[in-house]
Every structure is written in C-alpha cells, then in structure tokens.
C-alpha cells in the first residue's frame, strides 16, 4: 500500500496540530492538544520538511481519507458539507411562520440560553454577529438568569414588520433582579418571520 504524506512546513498550522522540534537523533512526535498521537507510520524529516501520514492526520481531525487512483489524488472528506446541510434543514424547521411566533421563540432562546435557536430566528445579515455578541451557542451569563418572560406589547408597523416589547424578569440566587425590557423588531421574509433587530428598551413606553 502506498503511503500518503502531508508536508508541514514552518509557519503552517493544520487542525491544531503541533509538530515537536526536530532533533537529528530523536524521533519526531505528533502532539495534538497536548497529547502525543501515535500514527500508522512515524512522521519523518525529509529534506527539512516534516512529513506526516495524511490518513492518520485525517483520523485525528475526524475526516475520512481515501486514495483515488484514477485521479491520483488523496480525497479528504471532513463532513462539513453534510453538517452544513443538516444545520440548514434544522434552522429551516425552527424558523417562525408568524411575527408572534418569532417573539415567543426569542423569549425561549433567552430563557434556555440557546444560541443555536437564536441564530435560527435572526435575519441572515445579523445572525452571526449578534450570536457572537451574546456569547456564542450558550448565550448570556449564568447569573442573573431569566426567571420568567412575557410579551408586554405588540405593534404592527406595516404589513411585513412588527414591533414587540418583551419583558424579561431577571433573578439571582439572592432573589429578583427586576425586569429587563427589550424591543424586538420582526420582519417577514417569504413564508418566514425573522428578527431584524433587538435591544434594550427599558425607557420605552407602550
């Protein structure tokens, strides 16, 4: 069987792989996240380039590695395309089909600190930025938390846009932290209603 190698040169980082310092009389170690990894064939220093078996490296990063003799090519399937399609279908299923459903899903995302749900109900042009600002896939902080929440008011701005005031009751282990009022703007996109903006509305009046 042919050996297929991946060359790692100075300054190149691949999937958090760190190659130990090469000494002339010492075996080369492959260290991933602080752990020494054993490969099917030991890494080799060939003409000042460290060669690592690509199949072993692929397995380390969770990729499927195959050899295509017809193309004379090493095929690496990371599964990212399949994962992207799966997430896309999940987000499509979670997308609200009414303005009120969008506001209620927003409340649920905050109560459960679920950044994935929040991502699914935000408009595409803001979702990545806003979820990152919220702290990622686990949004907010552990304290204070949302003890209860409700839609305080709803206003139809036009046929395709609605404004909600959402009242979040905050609490800590010491007791109530009081309400937090958020203004949430929801807009219709084809058959979905997605949030285009939201923010503090403590001083807003109904």
């Amino acid at each position: 069987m042919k050996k297929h190698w991946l060359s790692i040169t100075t300054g190149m980082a691949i999937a958090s792989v760190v190659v130990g310092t090469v000494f002339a009389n010492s075996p080369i170690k492959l260290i991933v996240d602080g752990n020494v990894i054993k490969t099917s064939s030991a890494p080799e220093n060939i003409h000042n380039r460290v060669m690592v078996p690509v199949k072993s490296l692929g397995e380390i990063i969770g990729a499927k590695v195959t050899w295509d003799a017809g193309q004379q090519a090493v095929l690496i399937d990371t599964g990212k395309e399949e994962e992207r399609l799966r997430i896309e279908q999940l987000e499509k299923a979670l997308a609200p089909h009414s303005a009120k459903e969008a506001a209620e899903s927003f409340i649920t995302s905050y109560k459960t600190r679920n950044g994935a749900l929040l991502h699914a109900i935000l408009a595409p042009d803001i979702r990545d930025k806003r979820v990152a600002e919220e702290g990622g896939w686990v949004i907010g902080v552990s304290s204070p938390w949302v003890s209860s929440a409700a839609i305080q008011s709803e206003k139809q701005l036009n046929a395709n846009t609605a404004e909600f005031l959402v009242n979040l009751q905050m609490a800590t282990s010491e007791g109530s932290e009081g309400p937090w009022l958020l203004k949430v703007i929801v807009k219709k996109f084809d058959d979905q209603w997605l949030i285009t903006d939201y923010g503090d509305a403590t001083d807003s009046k109904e």
Side-chain angles (χ1 to χ4, degrees), residues 26-204:
S26 300
I28 298 171
K29 296 178 182 178
L30 184 63
I31 302 176
V32 179
D33 295 332
N35 300 310
V36 177
I37 304 299
K38 292 184 178 180
T39 58
S40 56
S41 299
E44 296 180 17
N45 182 11
I46 302 175
H47 303 305
N48 293 320
R49 289 192 174 191
V50 176
M51 311 298 284
V52 181
V54 69
K55 184 174 179 61
S56 296
L57 187 59
E59 292 172 351
I60 290 167
I61 64 175
K64 181 181 179 182
V65 180
T66 56
W67 169 247
D68 188 318
Q71 298 185 69
Q72 284 291 292
V74 176
L75 307 181
I76 301 177
D77 182 3
T78 64
K80 288 187 179 297
E81 179 61 16
E82 183 179 343
E83 181 181 349
R84 184 192 67 79
L85 290 172
R86 177 171 58 85
I87 293 172
E88 186 178 272
Q89 290 302 309
L90 282 171
E91 291 194 340
K92 185 177 181 180
L94 290 170
H97 294 287
S98 72
K100 187 173 183 180
E101 185 184 348
E104 290 172 340
S105 293
F106 178 82
I107 288 173
T108 300
S109 72
Y110 261 69
K111 288 182 70 176
T112 59
R113 301 180 60 203
N114 191 328
L117 175 57
L118 181 62
H119 192 274
I121 62 177
L122 295 178
D125 61 331
I126 69 166
R127 57 178 43 151
D128 290 335
K129 181 175 183 295
R130 293 307 296 265
V131 170
E133 290 172 349
E134 295 287 358
W137 302 122
V138 179
I139 65 176
V141 294
S142 58
S143 182
W145 62 84
V146 179
S147 59
S148 64
I151 296 173
Q152 180 168 304
S153 67
E154 176 182 354
K155 183 190 298 183
Q156 198 71 31
L157 301 181
N158 57 51
N160 296 316
T161 310
E163 175 188 293
F164 294 86
L165 289 183
V166 174
N167 193 315
L168 306 179
Q169 294 294 323
M170 310 302 293
T172 69
S173 57
E174 301 297 321
S176 175
E177 280 283 303
W180 180 24
L181 196 63
L182 290 174
K183 180 187 290 185
V184 180
I185 306 298
V186 183
K187 185 176 180 179
K188 188 175 183 181
F189 292 81
D190 297 323
D191 64 337
Q192 302 176 350
W193 287 80
L194 301 174
I195 295 167
T196 58
D197 195 21
Y198 65 93
D200 194 291
T202 304
D203 298 326
S204 297

